[in-house]
Each structure stands twice: as C-alpha cells, then as structure tokens.
Amino acid sequence: MSNIRKTPQPEVEIQGQVERITYANEENAFSIVRLSYEGRIITIAGNLLSINPGEVLRLRGAWVNHPKYGQQFKVNSYQSITPATVVGIEKYLGSGLIKGIGPVLAKRLVAKFAENTLDIIEQSVERLKEVDGIGEKRVTMIKSAWEEQREIKEIMLFLQSHGVSSTYAIKIFKHYGHNSIEVVKTNPYQLATDIYGVGFITADKIAAKLGFAKDSPLRAEAGILYVLHQLADDGHVYYPDALLADECMKILDIERELVLNAIVEAALNKHIVIEGVDGAKAVYLAKFYTSETSAATNLKKLLTPVTRPYVFDEDKALQWVQKELSITLAENQITAVKMSFNQKVLVITGGPGTGKTTIINSIIKIYKRLGQRVLLAAPTGRAAKRMAETTGNDARTIHRLLDFSPKDGAFKRNDKNYLDTDLVVLDEVSMVDTILMHHFLKALPPHCTLILVGDIDQLPSVGAGSVLRDIIDSGVVAVVRLNEIFRQSQRSLIVVNAHRINSGEFPFLVNDMDQNRDFYFLEMDEPESIVERIVLLCKERIPEKFNFDPFKDIQVLTAMYKGQLGAVNLNTELQNALNPKGTELIRGGRVFRVGDKVMQLVNNYDKDVFNGDIGKIVSINTEDHIITVTYDGRLTPYDYADLDEITLAYAVTVHKSQGSEYPVVIMPVHTQQYIMLQRNLLYTGVTRGKRLVILLGTKRALHISINNNKPRHRYTYLKERLR
C-alpha cells in the first residue's frame, strides 16, 4: 500500500532573463516562460503579470519535475529588474511592452543611447526626439505607457514584499487597479471581503507586515466578521454575544473590551445585526439576519388561507389517481394527499421505503388533472435529476427555478417577479440552508400551495440553519410523518437497516459476500487493511460478483476529509488502482489524469455545472493547462485557475453525497473517525445506497455512531419567528 509522500522542495532564489513567453493566461496571469539562467535555457511556471522578453527577473520558488516536460522552476514570487545588457534592453523594449515602441524603433533607440536607453525613457523622455521617426505625439504615448507599466511593477513589488503571493497580487491588482497600494495600506482587511481566496488569516499577515497593531480596531472588526463566517460554516445562523466574544478573544488574542467595542462598531457599519433573543444578545451577519426574518415572514404569508379556484370530490379524485397509477394508497398516504388540497403549506417527512414518492406522484397527477400549474425543485442537480426520473415530470434546481443570473449575482424570480405556479413541490429540504430558503420563499406567489419533502433524520444542510427541523418544530405547518416501511421495501436489508440505525437499534449484519443480500458489514480493525479492502472491492470484487462499473456505479463515502480513511487519501489510493496511467496535470500537489472521476465543488453558472455534479476527465492539454470534463455528455473545459473548483470523486464525504443516490455505496466506519461518528451521518451514508451497501470497520465504531444521537446544536431563531 503506497503512502509515500514526495518531500517538498526547499524555496530558493534564482535570477535570469526572459527569452520567450510560451503561454500566458490573461485571466489569472498563469504563464510558462523560457528563461536564460546560468548559461542555459530553463522553463519557469507561475502567476507572472506583465512580464516581457528581455526583462531580468529575480524569482523565489522551487524546482519541480513535470511528468512530461521534466525539470521546471515553480515561481512563488518574483521581482522585475531592469535589463542590464544592450541586447536585453532591445529585446525588452521590442517586446510590445511600451505602446509606441516596436522591434524596429527599439533597435534605433538602443543604437542611439546604448545601455542608457531605459534611464533616458525614465528621466529625460524628451531626448527620444533625437531619434529619427519620434515626434511629440510618439513621446507622449511612450511616456504614458512607461509610467503605467512602471506602476504595475511597483504595485506587484509592494504586494509581494508584504507577503502576498503573486497569484493573489494579480487578483488584487485586477480588482483595485491603480488604487491597489492605497487600499492595502489603508485597510488590508478589506481584501478578505473583496478578493476571493484571500481570507482573514492572509489579510492579517499582510496587516502585520504593514505595521498594524494586534489591538487595532480595524483588525478587531475584521476578526469578528471572520469568526462569524467560521461559525456560519459550522451551521450557526447567529451566535450569542458572550460566546462570540470568547471565540474572538481566543482567535485574535485581544482583550474582551476591544472585542465588545468592535461588535458595536460592526453593527453601526451595518455589517452585523444585534437582536435580543431569549434574554441574551444574538449577533448575526447582516445577510443571515435578513434571510431568517424574510424566510419567516414569507412562509407566514404563504400560510394565509385563500379561496381555491376549483371544487372537486376528493374521494373520487383518490379513486381516479390510484387507477391511473395502478397503485393502492395506504391510510397515511391518503391522509397526506388529502392534506395537500386543504393546506397551503405541507411537510412530508420520512425515511427510505416509506412511500414519499408515491404520495408526490399522486398529488402531482391530481393537481394537473385540475388544470393547475405545477413546479418541482430540489437543492442540487443530482437531486433534481432523480426527482424528474421518479415523477416523470420536469424538475429543476432551486437556482434554475429562480433563474439565477451569474452576471448580476442575483435571482430574477423574487417578490417583484413571482413564479408562475399553483403548486410547488420542493424535495430534499433537509439540504436547504437559511439563505437559499429565503430566496426560494420570496419568489412564491401568495396563492400557491407549497409541499416540502425531506428526511428530517438526515444530516442538516451544509450551509447555516436547520430549516426543515425548525419548520416542523414550529408547529405552525401541517406535517405528515411516514414511519411504515412498505412490503416491497421490507425485502431490502438497506431499507430495514437504515430504519434500525435511525431508531437506535443495531443493524442486521451479513459478513459473507457469497450470500445474496444488498447490505454487508466487513469487520476489520486496521485502517490500512480497510483501505486495501476498499480498493480491492472497487477494482475487482464488486465488478466481478455484482457486475457494477467502478466509475459509474460505485461510490465510496467517508465521514472525514483528512486522515487515512479520509476522502483525500482514499482518492489517491483509488486513483492509483483504477486509473494509474495516462496524461496528467498537477495542480497544488493534486494529480488529475484523463479518465479520472471528478466532482464540482462550487456552483459555476458560467460553466453550467453545480456543487456535487460528478463527471469524468476526457482530455488534458498539458501545454495550455486545460482539463476537459464531461458531465452527462456535456463537455466543460477548466483552465489552470479553475482547477480548485474540482476534486477527485472516487471517494467523497457523506456531507457532499447529500441529495444523491448511487447504485453501490462503500463506507468505512472506524474509531479513527471518532469525532464524526454520529447516527445521522451513518444513516445518511447508508440511505445513499440504492442496490448495494458495504460497511467496513469495527462493531465498536458502529455502536458509537448509533448511540450518538445528539446532533450538533445550531443557533437559529427561525422556529421562534414562525411562532
């Protein structure tokens, strides 16, 4: 089992002259450059803004071995140095660097002024008129272009000398332009708000280099916003002020009084909202306060009774739909369908095999027969696709339903432009966070019926809030709870064991894979052995015995991202076993190969791919650093800058699997994952598997997971606002 890690190469400094720019990406300035260094030509690669042939660069970085192109120098930071030789100066000026000077004029300038040429342009630009073909107009153009070029280099040098990597320096320059130095000097913490990828920690390091004190009020306010964002990532919509002060003191290492003053200042600047909650002060980031209060207001508005535009016999409708769908509805299913006619908002919750889909199909069929407009939606692309397959109707993601505009960064459907519908069915509501629910509810017309479908016992949303639980617990919305497993589902050990786990009972374990079942538990103690067995199952055992495809059908799920049983290590091992050879590209220590299974990590509306979408790499252009991925036959290119948006997907975390179903799920359950052993996580993982689930690990870890039924508390106030 290979766990050998490449030793990181030490950072060194080199200096050389730019001979040729082989590749340059205008968006992120990633460049591949041929450099004259110590009498030989080498390749350097990195984010290099506005460099030109003939220019001398002082570079900091490390030597690396590219699998195809051999040794290269990977640049972390750089500084431009004026070319020293006449040949260098001519090449530098003739590269197109300065508007108004081309190769021919550069030759004439150097012939006239030799090694003093750049000093003349810098200090006595009027003297350029001594050269044939240069008049007043050309001098003005050259002067302006030279100053602009010099300013870019000064900004880059300033940023890099204050601990900003060249990648972020380019992003900062593109965002603030000629004001970059002034912005960074005045308030470096603004970078954390304005520049994607620059967090508080990076901004704080820059601020320290600029001489900002640890107890600076600017630092304290920026730190509070940072801590609140971290807490939102943990699921909290707000945080009590006393506990927030404790967290800020810990992270910022400053006095409590300074934190409390900064909280007041952040509220005055409208970055946060402070509200009395349960006798304490709740501190919200402004967008979360708006989202929670708006979601409560719009849901209550929706609950207001309206006169239905249709009259019909409910019992006859139920008889008709059962005949149409060739089904017999159980008593609680009939209750649910009837409630959809009499309630403006209805929640249907239950685990696998309890008949949620049958209820939804019946409701849709009847509403359509009554001439009503119906819309179906889910939070993710995979969940929407599955909903479309099970209902036979069009289903969209919430973002598509609300017509998100990437250009404006906003939804076109809202309270000024309602959705055209009489019924909306929203599936997988446990995945919907507070901000998305706010936008969704805002776009619903007051007359429409809303049916929320989800499994309350699954993991809560990755984003802040406990929306489904809060709506149910508020008591203001009608709820149908489905507990009965239907007969056809009772034959599935996956369904039976999922319900046993959810009820706090130990699942029925089958360890002999020669038995014809759909759920197995392979008891193993050593994490290394578990990794080896997972690889063997994916590569040989499951494809041979069950005829499932390792890429299309099998999904490894795990509780954690890091560690021996984490997604990162499992992906490395599975990639090396299932896809060991082929054209590859390395980005930030991660290896991508043609044929790899990958997952999109963020919503990208320009590319039309969304968080959780799984695709396959079909080509890699190593010269231009472009990877092309196919998602259901749709080709999507990624340049070098975009590669942080995708990750290997042979193994993914259970959180990332929400809303998806896979023919086969393999999942390690071991005490090495102790911190993440929770009943709802185990239950969510098991319920992702459709035809085969294999758990590997120890019974002790299973016991710990099943007995740990204390979901992590999230600070939200939606339930109380609804009441």
Side-chain angles (χ1 to χ4, degrees):
M1 184 57 50
S2 166
N3 276 319
I4 299 167
R5 298 192 181 280
K6 290 177 185 170
T7 311
Q9 295 300 306
E11 189 174 73
V12 294
E13 187 172 282
I14 66 169
Q15 187 169 310
Q17 185 168 316
V18 176
E19 291 294 322
R20 189 172 81 251
I21 296 165
T22 308
Y23 170 77
N25 183 317
E26 283 184 21
E27 278 300 303
N28 63 359
F30 176 80
S31 306
I32 298 168
V33 174
R34 301 289 279 163
L35 191 85
S36 177
Y37 168 68
E38 294 186 348
R40 61 195 172 104
I41 303 295
I42 63 166
T43 299
I44 64 168
N47 298 81
L48 304 158
L49 179 70
S50 197
I51 59 160
N52 298 276
E55 195 167 352
V56 177
L57 301 178
R58 185 179 294 141
L59 308 148
R60 287 196 69 80
W63 293 101
V64 296
N65 263 314
H66 188 283
K68 186 171 178 183
Y69 299 111
Q71 193 181 52
Q72 293 185 350
F73 189 80
K74 188 182 172 198
V75 181
N76 296 331
S77 63
Y78 69 98
Q79 181 182 347
S80 174
I81 297 165
T82 308
T85 67
V86 170
V87 174
I89 291 168
E90 185 185 323
K91 191 179 279 192
Y92 183 55
L93 290 176
S95 65
L97 158 79
I98 306 298
K99 198 174 178 187
I101 301 178
V104 175
L105 194 51
K107 202 177 198 66
R108 291 214 300 261
L109 283 168
V110 171
K112 173 77 177 170
F113 300 116
E115 63 268 9
N116 298 319
T117 305
L118 299 182
D119 290 335
I120 298 286
I121 296 173
E122 176 78 41
Q123 294 159 17
S124 313
V125 73
E126 292 296 323
R127 284 196 60 195
L128 297 185
K129 289 188 225 171
E130 296 172 22
V131 177
D132 287 345
I134 296 184
E136 191 61 50
K137 191 176 176 186
R138 180 73 63 96
V139 167
T140 305
M141 188 191 294
I142 291 169
K143 185 182 177 184
S144 169
W146 178 261
E147 284 172 357
E148 185 172 334
Q149 182 72 10
R150 186 182 59 193
E151 189 179 5
I152 290 171
K153 293 195 186 301
E154 278 175 5
I155 290 168
M156 294 297 289
L157 183 58
F158 169 81
L159 292 171
Q160 289 185 117
S161 66
H162 287 88
V164 183
S165 74
S166 58
T167 307
Y168 290 137
I170 289 153
K171 285 186 175 183
I172 291 164
F173 177 75
K174 284 185 174 245
H175 191 84
Y176 301 121
H178 301 304
N179 299 320
S180 299
I181 292 177
E182 189 189 337
V183 169
V184 174
K185 274 184 174 176
T186 309
N187 183 5
Y189 295 103
Q190 196 174 326
L191 302 177
T193 308
D194 295 345
I195 311 294
Y196 175 75
V198 178
F200 172 79
I201 303 295
T202 305
D204 202 29
K205 283 178 186 168
I206 296 166
K209 287 205 172 190
L210 285 164
F212 279 76
K214 196 188 273 190
D215 59 358
S216 151
L218 272 178
R219 180 175 185 267
E221 189 177 337
I224 286 160
L225 300 180
Y226 165 69
V227 171
L228 281 170
H229 275 108
Q230 294 289 103
L231 292 165
D233 288 344
D234 288 339
H236 303 291
V237 180
Y238 75 86
Y239 216 63
D241 64 338
L243 296 178
L244 176 63
D246 291 342
E247 289 292 321
C248 292
M249 285 167 65
K250 235 185 322 188
I251 289 168
L252 302 175
D253 191 23
I254 55 175
E255 296 296 320
R256 191 177 200 87
E257 188 181 350
L258 191 58
V259 172
L260 296 174
N261 289 341
I263 288 174
V264 172
E265 195 62 31
L268 290 173
N269 291 331
K270 296 189 165 35
H271 294 139
I272 62 173
V273 175
I274 303 170
E275 186 181 65
V277 166
D278 296 334
K281 285 181 181 173
V283 184
Y284 287 82
L285 285 165
K287 64 180 178 181
F288 287 108
Y289 179 78
T290 302
S291 296
E292 189 178 82
T293 52
S294 162
T297 301
N298 285 312
L299 192 61
K300 284 196 278 192
K301 206 184 285 180
L302 211 57
L303 287 165
T304 310
V306 293
T307 308
R308 299 287 187 192
Y310 50 80
V311 178
F312 69 104
D313 186 319
E314 290 180 10
D315 292 324
K316 279 187 178 173
L318 281 159
Q319 286 170 13
W320 171 81
V321 82
Q322 289 178 88
K323 194 175 175 186
E324 279 287 306
L325 296 173
S326 304
I327 55 168
T328 303
L329 292 170
E331 200 173 316
N332 62 354
Q333 291 179 313
I334 288 171
T335 303
V337 175
K338 282 188 171 181
M339 284 174 81
S340 76
F341 307 136
N342 307 311
Q343 300 289 336
K344 284 290 300 306
V345 182
L346 174 65
V347 173
I348 299 171
T349 184
T354 56
K356 294 192 296 290
T357 303
T358 304
I359 293 169
I360 296 311
N361 285 342
S362 301
I363 292 169
I364 293 167
K365 202 92 175 155
I366 293 170
Y367 265 81
K368 282 194 162 184
R369 180 71 191 265
L370 293 166
Q372 300 297 288
R373 296 163 298 174
V374 177
L375 290 175
L376 311 183
T380 66
R382 290 176 75 86
K385 188 180 176 189
R386 191 155 51 83
M387 194 182 190
E389 286 166 357
T390 55
T391 63
N393 289 272
D394 180 50
R396 285 175 267 177
T397 62
I398 297 173
H399 282 81
R400 282 195 192 289
L401 187 76
L402 304 185
D403 196 7
F404 183 82
S405 163
K407 188 181 164 198
D408 304 324
F411 294 101
K412 292 181 182 176
R413 292 290 190 170
N414 49 40
D415 49 1
K416 307 279 188 299
N417 182 25
Y418 288 131
L419 290 165
D420 301 317
T421 188
D422 303 300
L423 169 71
V424 180
V425 182
L426 180 62
D427 199 7
E428 296 286 1
V429 183
S430 63
M431 295 178 68
V432 181
D433 62 33
T434 303
I435 289 178
L436 192 54
M437 186 54 88
H438 146 66
H439 288 294
F440 172 72
L441 291 171
K442 201 163 76 164
L444 299 184
H447 74 270
C448 89
T449 295
L450 171 63
I451 297 178
L452 301 171
V453 186
D455 187 343
I456 197 176
D457 298 309
Q458 280 187 32
L459 286 169
S461 58
V462 174
S466 302
V467 173
L468 180 60
R469 186 169 291 280
D470 284 351
I471 289 172
I472 291 172
D473 291 349
S474 71
V476 301
V477 172
V479 178
V480 175
R481 294 177 188 268
L482 305 170
N483 299 313
E484 182 191 345
I485 308 175
F486 285 91
R487 193 179 297 115
Q488 63 270 31
S489 298
Q490 287 173 4
R491 291 194 290 271
S492 166
L493 209 49
I494 295 174
V495 173
V496 170
N497 279 341
H499 284 270
R500 287 182 69 83
I501 289 165
N502 198 31
S503 304
E505 299 174 72
F506 208 68
F508 297 121
L509 302 183
V510 177
N511 58 18
D512 181 1
M513 287 185 65
D514 288 328
Q515 288 191 39
N516 194 20
R517 304 308 298 262
D518 63 359
F519 185 102
Y520 299 95
F521 176 74
L522 308 181
E523 192 166 8
M524 311 185 79
D525 287 330
E526 295 301 320
E528 192 169 320
S529 302
I530 293 172
V531 174
E532 285 178 355
R533 183 64 70 88
I534 288 172
V535 170
L536 187 68
L537 285 167
C538 292
K539 190 179 179 183
E540 297 172 15
R541 192 82 169 91
I542 294 173
E544 287 167 8
K545 177 173 169 57
F546 300 97
N547 202 27
F548 286 115
D549 183 280
F551 291 90
K552 290 182 191 167
D553 302 327
I554 302 172
Q555 187 60 59
V556 177
L557 301 182
T558 181
M560 301 177 84
Y561 189 67
K562 293 181 178 173
Q564 205 167 1
L565 296 173
V568 175
N569 184 53
L570 286 168
N571 270 317
T572 302
E573 298 293 351
L574 288 163
Q575 180 192 43
N576 289 336
L578 297 172
N579 194 30
K581 293 175 184 170
T583 308
E584 63 180 39
L585 185 64
I586 300 170
R587 164 74 146 86
R590 297 179 305 151
V591 179
F592 294 104
R593 292 191 188 113
V594 171
D596 274 339
K597 181 179 180 180
V598 292
M599 175 185 270
Q600 175 76 13
L601 295 171
V602 292
N603 290 338
N604 187 322
Y605 303 95
D606 295 326
K607 291 187 188 301
D608 200 29
V609 287
F610 300 92
N611 189 353
D613 285 355
I614 287 181
K616 190 174 186 178
I617 296 176
V618 290
S619 71
I620 294 178
N621 181 331
T622 51
E623 211 166 294
D624 295 339
H625 284 63
I626 292 171
I627 285 180
T628 303
V629 179
T630 177
Y631 296 97
D632 292 327
R634 208 164 24 84
L635 295 178
T636 305
Y638 292 82
D639 69 21
Y640 198 77
D642 298 331
L643 291 183
D644 55 357
E645 290 189 8
I646 59 171
T647 188
L648 292 177
Y650 299 99
V652 302
T653 62
V654 178
H655 282 88
K656 276 287 180 193
S657 74
Q658 282 178 271
S660 300
E661 269 189 358
Y662 312 99
V664 181
V665 161
I666 301 172
M667 186 175 166
V669 185
H670 193 273
T671 48
Q672 194 185 71
Q673 306 160 308
Y674 188 82
I675 193 169
M676 296 299 287
L677 294 178
Q678 297 165 347
R679 187 189 295 178
N680 60 356
L681 188 135
L682 177 63
Y683 172 73
T684 302
V686 168
T687 55
R688 300 307 89 209
K690 206 170 176 182
R691 294 168 63 188
L692 179 63
V693 170
I694 300 174
L695 304 183
L696 304 91
T698 64
K699 287 179 182 172
R700 182 165 178 262
L702 267 183
H703 274 291
I704 292 168
S705 297
I706 292 162
N707 292 327
N708 181 9
N709 193 32
K710 285 185 181 171
R712 292 180 180 178
H713 178 68
R714 294 184 167 200
Y715 285 102
T716 80
Y717 207 59
L718 179 63
K719 175 176 72 175
E720 289 77 8
R721 292 186 196 283
L722 287 170
R723 285 174 177 167

